[in-house]
């Protein structure tokens, strides 16, 4: 039975211009291999729910938003931006602009985006609140790579700001100072950002979806499992593993409800809500953890505005709790309309 909301909304969907999806998928095109699949799924679902939907592609001009508001008078902006003008950090400024316009929007507020986008700052804040994170060091561009003596190998090297496993491969895990320097230089060169090296923790990869502003809800913890992990490879979510469907099938990638004891699950849900609040997040987010062999959860990353395509971790986790894809999008819209940037509504 198709879900229909009680109130029909005019929705301005903000997306990167290059990710504007087709209205109908051309014959022979596999949606799962397209960079616009999230945009397609969200826009298509909102239309089937009866909302008026106006996709707005952005490149480097915020006037596009003002013009779209003037033309369509949207009740809410559905924010699918992950960057602006080619910069990963600039999406938070677009959200600040929406707040200046007093335009309701989905997803996270600017302060939460600022804190969570900086992986080092996130770990410093959470360490202060005694939440377990891997030991780490930051290696700025243009400076000699000197490893702090407290930082022990093996280390996983990645960008301090990029998301979606950008720059992460099996070679990201290093075991000596020479390889550390090589990988840091690689991150500097390919992502044009500072590098962070964090202690590699052997264990299970667990994701927790959190939704809400003040009253928070978690969905079923989700686990990434690689059934046919090549010999000598590590269980890490590389860029290839995350975005290449053919490779996913080859290595037997499965994401599924995490098999956890009730105690571990309660602990994980409590930690996730604490992290969400400490980082001033709103809307919805996904927490990425390592569960070590001794039962300790380590927060790897907090991801506001995570991937919400159909059949991806966030939507699947919500579905496991009885929420259809359209119901999930409607909940995200409801949170957006009720959000108060100064006080945060209790929604």
């Amino acid at each position: 039975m198709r879900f229909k909301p009680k109130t029909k909304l005019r929705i301005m969907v903000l997306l990167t211009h290059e990710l504007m999806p087709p209205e109908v998928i051309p014959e022979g095109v596999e949606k799962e291999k397209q960079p616009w699949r999230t945009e397609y799924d969200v826009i298509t679902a909102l239309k089937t729910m009866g909302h008026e939907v106006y996709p707005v592609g952005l490149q480097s001009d915020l006037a596009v938003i003002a013009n779209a508001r003037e033309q369509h008078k949207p009740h809410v902006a559905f924010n699918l931006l992950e960057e602006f003008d080619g910069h990963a950090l600039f999406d938070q400024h677009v959200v600040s602009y929406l707040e200046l316009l007093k335009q309701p929007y989905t997803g996270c507020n600017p302060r939460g985006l600022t804190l969570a986008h900086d992986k080092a700052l996130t770990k410093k804040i959470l360490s202060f609140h005694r939440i377990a994170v891997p030991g780490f060091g930051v290696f700025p561009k243009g400076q000699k790579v000197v490893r702090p003596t407290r930082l022990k190998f093996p280390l996983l090297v990645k960008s301090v700001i990029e998301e979606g496993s950008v720059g992460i491969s099996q070679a990201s895990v290093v075991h000596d100072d020479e390889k550390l320097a090589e990988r840091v230089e690689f991150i500097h060169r390919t992502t044009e950002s500072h590098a962070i090296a964090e202690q590699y923790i052997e264990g299970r990869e667990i994701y927790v979806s959190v939704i809400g502003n003040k009253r928070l809800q978690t969905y079923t913890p989700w686990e990434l499992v690689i059934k046919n992990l090549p010999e000598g490879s590590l269980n890490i979510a590389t860029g290839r593993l995350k975005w290449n469907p053919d490779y996913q099938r080859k290595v037997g990638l499965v994401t599924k409800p995490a098999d956890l004891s009730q105690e571990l699950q309660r602990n994980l849900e409590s930690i996730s809500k604490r992290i969400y609040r400490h980082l001033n997040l709103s809307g919805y987010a996904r927490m990425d953890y390592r569960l070590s062999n001794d039962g300790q959860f380590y927060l790897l990353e907090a991801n506001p505005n995570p991937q919400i395509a159909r059949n991806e971790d966030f939507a699947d986790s919500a579905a496991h709790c009885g929420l259809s894809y359209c119901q999930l999008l409607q909940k995200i819209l409801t949170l957006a309309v009720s959000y108060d940037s100064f006080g945060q509504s209790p929604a």
Side-chain angles (χ1 to χ4, degrees):
M1 182 174 172
R2 184 172 293 175
F3 171 76
K4 290 291 185 181
K6 294 180 181 179
T7 304
K8 309 303 183 189
L9 300 174
R10 293 187 299 276
I11 303 173
M12 173 174 63
V13 179
L14 300 180
L15 50 90
T16 302
H17 179 76
E18 291 79 5
L19 298 180
M20 183 69 71
E23 291 192 14
V24 178
I25 298 178
E27 185 177 351
V29 172
E30 188 176 348
K31 176 171 71 75
E32 284 67 30
K33 292 185 177 181
Q34 303 307 315
W36 40 254
R37 61 193 173 111
T38 299
E39 290 75 9
Y40 178 86
D41 285 347
V42 170
I43 291 170
T44 303
L46 292 176
K47 287 180 177 178
T48 65
M49 293 158 64
H51 296 301
E52 295 181 34
V53 183
Y54 306 100
V56 178
L58 298 182
Q59 289 179 306
S60 59
D61 186 3
L62 288 176
V64 174
I65 295 177
N67 294 337
R69 289 182 77 243
E70 180 66 26
Q71 181 179 356
H72 303 300
K73 304 293 189 295
H75 295 106
V76 62
F78 205 113
N79 181 23
L80 293 178
L81 294 171
E82 295 184 351
E83 54 92 12
F84 179 75
D85 196 22
H87 296 274
L89 294 180
F90 281 10
D91 62 334
Q92 62 208 34
H93 303 316
V94 178
V95 178
S96 295
Y97 178 65
L98 294 174
E99 291 207 343
L100 291 175
L101 296 174
K102 297 181 173 57
Q103 171 66 61
Y105 58 88
T106 64
C108 192
N109 66 83
R111 184 185 300 176
L113 288 172
T114 299
L115 297 179
H117 277 343
D118 188 326
K119 296 179 177 66
L121 181 56
T122 293
K123 289 177 170 60
K124 290 174 183 177
I125 293 170
L126 298 182
S127 294
F128 175 83
H129 290 287
R130 303 189 180 187
I131 291 173
V133 298
F136 70 96
V138 176
F139 300 93
K141 291 168 55 181
Q143 294 187 19
K144 184 179 179 180
V145 177
V146 179
R147 175 177 57 89
T149 55
R150 60 175 171 74
L151 202 57
K152 306 300 182 184
F153 294 108
L155 298 172
L156 189 149
V157 185
K158 57 188 178 182
S159 165
V160 79
I161 61 169
E162 291 287 353
E163 299 176 347
S165 295
V166 171
I168 297 180
S169 67
Q170 290 291 326
S172 298
V173 179
V174 299
H175 298 267
D176 57 52
D177 286 311
E178 181 181 355
K179 292 297 183 183
L180 171 63
E182 289 179 5
R183 198 64 194 179
V184 167
E185 188 278 329
F186 172 83
I187 291 297
H188 290 170
R189 173 168 43 83
T190 58
T191 70
E192 298 185 351
S193 65
H194 301 324
I196 183 171
E198 60 186 32
Q199 290 182 310
Y200 174 72
I201 296 169
E202 191 70 44
R204 298 163 63 186
E205 186 105 347
I206 309 288
Y207 307 135
V208 178
S209 300
V210 187
I211 192 166
N213 293 334
K214 279 195 173 179
R215 287 202 298 261
L216 305 182
Q217 179 182 3
T218 58
Y219 297 136
T220 304
W222 223 243
E223 182 169 4
L224 180 146
V225 178
I226 309 172
K227 293 183 176 180
N228 304 317
L229 188 67
E231 186 176 353
S233 297
L234 299 171
N235 179 35
I236 57 175
T238 64
R240 186 182 184 192
L241 185 73
K242 187 164 281 190
W243 301 112
N244 188 323
D246 292 333
Y247 183 69
Q248 292 170 0
R249 287 189 283 268
K250 177 181 177 181
V251 300
L253 173 68
V254 174
T255 59
K256 62 179 185 177
D259 184 11
L260 301 171
S261 68
Q262 288 187 352
E263 181 181 0
L264 276 179
Q265 183 159 333
R266 283 195 299 267
N267 182 34
L268 183 58
E269 291 171 350
S270 174
I271 293 170
S272 298
K273 291 177 181 179
R274 286 177 59 203
I275 292 170
Y276 197 93
R277 292 189 173 103
H278 289 321
L279 298 179
N280 199 59
L281 303 181
S282 59
Y284 58 103
R286 191 192 70 238
M287 308 301 171
D288 298 357
Y289 295 92
R290 272 290 163 139
L291 174 56
S292 65
N293 297 329
D294 61 359
Q296 174 69 60
F297 287 106
Y298 292 86
L299 191 281
L300 302 181
E301 293 184 14
N303 297 289
N305 301 354
Q307 162 76 286
I308 54 168
R310 288 183 186 271
N311 304 317
E312 286 291 338
D313 299 331
F314 199 101
D316 284 350
S317 178
H320 194 264
C321 292
L323 219 63
S324 72
Y325 188 65
C326 289
Q327 288 172 322
L328 172 63
L329 296 186
Q330 188 62 37
K331 185 173 180 65
I332 290 172
L333 288 169
T334 301
L335 289 167
V337 173
S338 64
Y339 179 76
D340 177 355
S341 60
F342 295 99
Q344 290 193 18
S345 80

